[in-house]
Amino acid sequence: MPYVEDGQMLERSRIRPLSEDRDIDFVITQAGGGRAHEDSDRKDTRNSDYLLGQSIIELKLLEDERLEKPETQAKIGSLFGALQPDRPVVVIDPTIIEFNDRHAYASIMQGPIKGVVRSARGQLKQSRREIGGGATTVLFVINNGFNALTHEELLDHVVRRARNDTDEIDGVVVAGCYLHGDGFDTFALWPIDYVLIREERPFSEFEALRSAWNKLADRHMTEFVRGEHGPAAAKEAQTDIVFEWEGRTFVKPATPIGAKSAFFGARRPRLHHLRFERVKHVALTVPRLSPAEYRRVRAALKDEPLLESLDTWNDHVGEALSYGTPLKPVVPVAVSRGGWEAWKRRNPGSSGLDSLRAAANVRYGVEASRLVHAAKELHSGTVVPQRYIAVVTELIGQDENNDVSRIGVCTGGDVEWIVLNARVPHFGALALAAAHALRLGLTNILWRHDLRYAWV
């Protein structure tokens, strides 16, 4: 799986956001329309923007990201946090909401849309009064920065509000430019859809508008490919929306690109934060001495109180083990007098029990590394041992820092989970699994990725 070091993604493409004067005026003109009121800047009343055939069009550009608003984050955090109470990373997934909570979620996300419909109904009503009562009124909503909603979700919300909140809107058109990229592959989607609200007043000019919209897409993307938008363009390829609320991280994953990349292969790059400190410190070690090795080590460390007897040492080991936790287990590591002496020859500055503990750490590192490198992905056809350490990591969005793992002991198909809902990415989870494997005397680690919320 490719990663990008130091928390930096490959350079993402940026595109110029759409503007009313430069872009939507072009669309309306290409469709055969124009401004509804050439003297609108001198009028005291608020009117609609365009006239196309027999239809009055009011344009609304959605510029702001709803989930970046603190008040929205608090509402979303309260709603989804309650649904996933034990998770350090909460995925904002509307599909998991129970029926009773769907209205609450819709109400939160529809805030800007309610405002758009409320404003448009007055403007369309005023323009129809001035232009003629037989005109069709159309609300034209363009998603210019509200990435928390897909095109389909936005269309559904706009239609719902237009039907429920007013009688002044005869039809709804929703469009947008959705830029996707991974630093190598970049593409944009330009959907546009029309929904009839009032059967008696259809928007007969929609096909002309759609054709003009596609011309804008061609023009805009040609400028983009030529580099005319430049690195300072404000709109970048979609990314995860992430915020912190009450000590937890909330993630609305970016829309998966899908399809195999010609450059990266099956898995596209993700943010990787060089969190090696977490991998290095997944366990504590304590030297374990057999009766024979105890006698040999005791002969060299006669003055150490903890080595007064084998029982004394074993009591020390038992006490150390009691301090272990699922996320930082204490692992007893078998140490021999010969291995310890060899380590001291390579490290002459260390002596006493400290050197014995350091030798145990080194041996642990070797054994843990071997287990991590031997870990296998669990898939159809994998030969499964009777007992092994199971690792499941949920890949959440574009940033491995938000991945959640669980680790357990699998025996004959039954899993006893040791670690649940730990904010640990794949390689950290393997390292922690190796610690538990050594602690329990197991020799196999099998892992799999849960790709439900992955960006691949």
Side-chain angles (χ1 to χ4, degrees):
M1 176 188 312
Y3 288 95
V4 182
E5 304 292 346
D6 295 322
Q8 299 295 319
M9 290 291 284
L10 296 175
E11 183 64 29
R12 286 192 175 277
S13 299
R14 290 177 175 270
I15 198 168
R16 179 177 60 78
L18 300 179
S19 67
E20 181 174 344
D21 294 342
R22 182 173 178 179
D23 300 311
I24 312 309
D25 283 2
F26 169 83
V27 170
I28 299 298
T29 301
Q30 289 293 309
R35 284 284 171 178
H37 306 275
E38 295 298 337
D39 60 345
S40 60
D41 58 335
R42 298 190 298 274
K43 283 180 171 289
D44 294 331
T45 56
R46 297 180 69 237
N47 306 96
S48 300
D49 294 302
Y50 301 107
L51 187 63
L52 177 58
Q54 298 301 308
S55 298
I56 302 167
I57 299 175
E58 172 57 27
L59 172 70
K60 296 297 182 183
L61 294 170
L62 293 177
E63 308 280 4
D64 296 331
E65 177 50 66
R66 179 70 166 157
L67 289 184
E68 290 180 353
K69 308 296 183 182
E71 62 275 13
T72 303
Q73 292 176 356
K75 293 176 182 177
I76 290 293
S78 178
L79 177 60
F80 283 89
L83 297 175
Q84 305 170 55
D86 300 321
R87 293 173 59 90
V89 177
V90 177
V91 178
I92 302 170
D93 176 9
T95 67
I96 68 172
I97 299 177
E98 295 292 339
F99 180 81
N100 292 337
D101 291 324
R102 291 176 190 171
H103 178 74
Y105 176 72
S107 179
I108 294 168
M109 300 306 289
Q110 286 178 6
I113 299 166
K114 289 180 181 178
V116 159
V117 171
R118 184 169 54 249
S119 173
R121 69 187 180 192
Q123 293 168 272
L124 289 168
K125 182 178 181 180
Q126 177 64 28
S127 290
R128 180 147 59 186
R129 182 183 295 123
E130 295 181 20
I131 293 172
T136 296
T137 56
V138 177
L139 170 60
F140 188 11
V141 176
I142 296 178
N143 191 343
N144 214 26
F146 195 170
N147 289 328
L149 292 180
T150 65
H151 173 73
E152 293 74 20
E153 289 171 332
L154 177 59
L155 178 64
D156 180 71
H157 285 309
V158 174
V159 170
R160 191 181 303 275
R161 295 270 57 88
R163 283 178 171 156
N164 293 343
D165 297 352
T166 180
D167 292 328
E168 301 297 334
I169 297 175
D170 299 327
V172 163
V173 175
V174 174
C177 170
Y178 297 85
L179 187 67
H180 303 272
D182 58 16
F184 182 81
D185 295 315
T186 301
F187 63 91
L189 301 177
W190 289 75
I192 182 169
D193 286 290
Y194 160 61
V195 175
L196 176 66
I197 303 295
R198 309 292 168 211
E199 294 285 346
E200 66 276 15
R201 288 179 174 171
F203 179 33
S204 58
E205 296 85 6
F206 174 67
E207 288 305 322
L209 183 69
R210 188 211 299 269
S211 177
W213 176 259
N214 291 336
K215 289 179 182 178
L216 171 65
D218 290 341
R219 188 188 78 170
H220 207 70
M221 296 312 296
T222 298
E223 294 173 355
F224 170 75
V225 170
R226 289 175 177 171
E228 295 176 16
H229 293 180
K235 186 174 181 177
E236 68 173 9
Q238 286 191 14
T239 59
D240 297 342
I241 302 171
V242 183
F243 63 88
E244 304 292 324
W245 186 74
E246 292 194 346
R248 293 200 286 169
T249 300
F250 291 76
V251 181
K252 183 71 166 61
T255 303
I257 292 181
K260 185 176 181 180
S261 168
F263 183 76
F264 294 112
R267 298 289 178 90
R268 298 176 189 274
R270 304 176 74 223
L271 285 170
H272 176 43
H273 294 263
L274 291 179
R275 294 161 64 200
F276 295 134
E277 286 302 308
R278 174 173 291 187
V279 175
K280 283 182 179 178
H281 297 90
V282 295
L284 300 172
T285 63
V286 59
R288 184 178 64 205
L289 300 172
S290 68
E293 294 302 334
Y294 164 76
R295 290 191 294 271
R296 296 186 181 104
V297 170
R298 169 65 175 165
L301 296 174
K302 296 178 180 179
D303 298 328
E304 289 291 349
L306 288 176
L307 290 169
E308 180 180 354
S309 69
L310 181 57
D311 288 340
T312 302
W313 182 253
N314 286 338
D315 288 345
H316 168 66
V317 172
E319 181 182 5
L321 293 176
S322 70
Y323 288 100
T325 67
L327 290 177
K328 187 173 286 187
V330 176
V331 181
V333 180
V335 178
S336 67
R337 169 74 182 267
W340 172 47
E341 294 288 0
W343 185 89
K344 286 200 299 180
R345 286 194 294 272
R346 295 190 299 270
N347 301 272
S350 183
S351 61
L353 275 181
D354 287 342
S355 65
L356 189 68
R357 294 190 174 101
N361 272 338
V362 171
R363 181 174 175 80
Y364 166 84
V366 172
E367 294 299 317
S369 179
R370 179 185 60 79
L371 285 172
V372 168
H373 285 88
K376 296 179 181 179
E377 183 176 5
L378 180 61
H379 52 73
S380 178
T382 301
V383 178
V384 178
Q386 177 62 24
R387 196 161 185 257
Y388 62 91
I389 295 290
V391 180
V392 180
T393 300
E394 297 177 52
L395 305 190
I396 299 175
Q398 299 167 326
D399 189 346
E400 67 141 24
N401 186 48
N402 296 322
D403 292 351
V404 174
S405 296
R406 58 186 185 272
I407 300 169
V409 178
C410 186
T411 306
D414 295 325
V415 182
E416 181 182 351
W417 295 109
I418 303 170
V419 175
L420 286 171
N421 296 323
R423 191 169 180 173
V424 183
H426 172 73
F427 292 111
L430 291 184
L432 182 56
H436 284 289
L438 292 172
R439 179 179 65 86
L440 297 170
L442 299 177
T443 57
N444 293 283
I445 299 173
L446 297 180
W447 60 269
R448 70 175 179 87
H449 288 161
D450 183 339
L451 302 179
R452 180 179 182 184
Y453 299 118
W455 187 78
V456 297

